[in-house]
Amino acid sequence: MSANRRFRSVTRIGPVQAGTAYDGRGREKHTAACTAPRCGFSADYDSRAAAELAARTHRCPVR
């Protein structure tokens, strides 16, 4: 089952986008996802600061 979320306050840090959305249970979640081709990095966090830190420190393994 795919997560169909409406993201708000999306910011771009390098190739990574960090955004905020509500999960299926109504809790606020923060996601960081890399938009580089063939990278595949994405993760959910409980705080916006953690998602932005992950976006800043992410290094794509694909070269």
Side-chain angles (χ1 to χ4, degrees):
M1 184 170 165
S2 66
N4 190 8
R5 298 180 183 166
R6 289 188 82 115
F7 287 96
R8 56 185 166 77
S9 67
V10 177
T11 59
R12 186 174 187 95
I13 301 169
V16 182
Q17 288 185 339
T20 303
Y22 290 103
D23 66 358
R25 296 183 179 203
R27 295 176 296 202
E28 191 175 59
K29 291 292 183 179
H30 307 277
T31 303
C34 186
T35 59
R38 298 183 315 270
C39 180
F41 167 75
S42 69
D44 289 335
Y45 299 95
D46 290 330
S47 70
R48 179 71 182 205
E52 289 182 4
L53 178 64
R56 284 187 182 89
T57 59
H58 172 69
R59 299 290 177 249
C60 291
V62 180
R63 292 279 175 208

